[in-house]
Amino acid sequence: MKNIIDGEELNIPEHVAIIMDGNGRWAKKRLMPRNFGHKAGAKVVEQICEDAHNLGIKYLTVYAFSTENWRRSVEEVTGIMNLLRAYLKDCIERASKNNMRVRVIGDRTALDKDIVEKIEELEAKTACYDGLNFTIALNYGGRDELRRAVLDIAKDVKSGELTPDDIDEKLISSRLDTKDMPDPDLLIRTSGELRLSNYLIWQLAYTEFYFTDVLWPDFDINELKDAIRYFNGRERRYGGVK
Ligand code: IPE
Ligand code: IPE
Ligand code: MG
């Protein structure tokens, strides 16, 4: 899809994935605890959902908590989970106002029961909306997602439902948490780190990467527009020649 952004006609990536990084450093710069940064970061997510939709992006997938983030202090993890509770509660209202469909990817089995219930409610109540497809990666790790998919397929092979020859890329994709979504066209990582940190490792195979030094709580629509402009300067070849 094309859209006019600040007078320029641009291709809008259908699916944008974001690694929202730098909340802790943002808080530290203000001599505040890390969770102050997470709170500011959560506010920015709300705004970016609206901006993404207005710009014509169809899918937005954000990394909220990785399978490795449990290594942080109990205080920080508890703070993030409490923030998430409040966020999920508000999100139901916001989603219906903005016609936004919300999904959560990652391993839910390690999350508290009340959080899982809120996620299920949010997914069920927003399943009918056809605005932005907003996905939150929570207790998500790309390797863990592949592990779960392999386990799933292995069980079907064992029971005879599948044969080893049935295992192609399409089948693997269909067993991932992202089965209903196209692969991301553009990945954005804030805070100057140039790594994937176990995010969507299968799905990002042909995605364009945009890195910015801006810390996540400072990210705004102008940053998002910059990323889209960068995306428009890339030539996607998918292994071919143009
Ligand atoms: C990203 O910000 C949010 C989460 C991982 C939950 P960080 O908390 O990683 O912030 P920095 O990288 O320490 O600044
Ligand atoms: C990645 O950020 C995870 C999220 C943004 C949720 P991290 O801050 O956890 O990643 P590393 O530790 O710098 O690789
Ligand atoms: Mg970080």
Side-chain angles (χ1 to χ4, degrees), residues 21-22 25 72 189:
D21 199 10
R25 277 163 281 172
R72 298 186 179 197
R189 182 168 188 154

Side-chain angles (χ1 to χ4, degrees), residues 20-23 25 34 72 189 191 193 195:
M20 313 183 290
D21 199 10
N23 293 349
R25 277 163 281 172
R34 295 181 59 82
R72 298 186 179 197
R189 182 168 188 154
S191 90
E193 309 296 349
R195 56 177 172 259

Side-chain angles (χ1 to χ4, degrees), residues 130-237:
D130 61 359
L132 180 72
N133 285 282
F134 177 51
T135 302
I136 307 167
L138 198 61
N139 192 27
Y140 175 87
R143 289 184 174 181
D144 180 64
E145 181 189 35
L146 278 164
R147 177 193 65 78
R148 287 184 284 110
V150 169
L151 189 69
D152 202 35
I153 293 169
K155 282 181 183 161
D156 283 353
V157 171
K158 193 174 177 209
S159 73
E161 201 145 312
L162 290 175
T163 70
D165 287 341
D166 292 326
I167 304 171
D168 57 10
E169 291 185 10
K170 204 163 153 244
L171 179 85
I172 295 172
S173 291
S174 77
R175 300 298 176 106
L176 298 175
D177 297 345
T178 51
K179 53 183 165 293
D180 305 323
M181 298 175 222
D183 287 341
D185 302 292
L186 174 64
L187 169 80
I188 299 171
R189 182 168 188 154
T190 58
S191 90
E193 309 296 349
L194 311 184
R195 56 177 172 259
L196 285 183
S197 302
N198 205 6
Y199 194 39
L200 300 172
I201 51 176
W202 172 277
Q203 298 87 341
L204 294 173
Y206 268 105
T207 303
E208 300 296 335
F209 288 10
Y210 179 79
F211 297 103
T212 169
D213 287 337
V214 170
L215 302 175
W216 177 251
D218 292 327
F219 193 86
D220 63 12
I221 188 166
N222 292 318
E223 300 293 329
L224 184 57
K225 286 177 182 174
D226 282 349
I228 294 173
R229 277 189 278 267
Y230 166 86
F231 174 76
N232 275 259
R234 309 307 305 163
E235 185 188 39
R236 301 183 81 187
R237 289 192 287 269

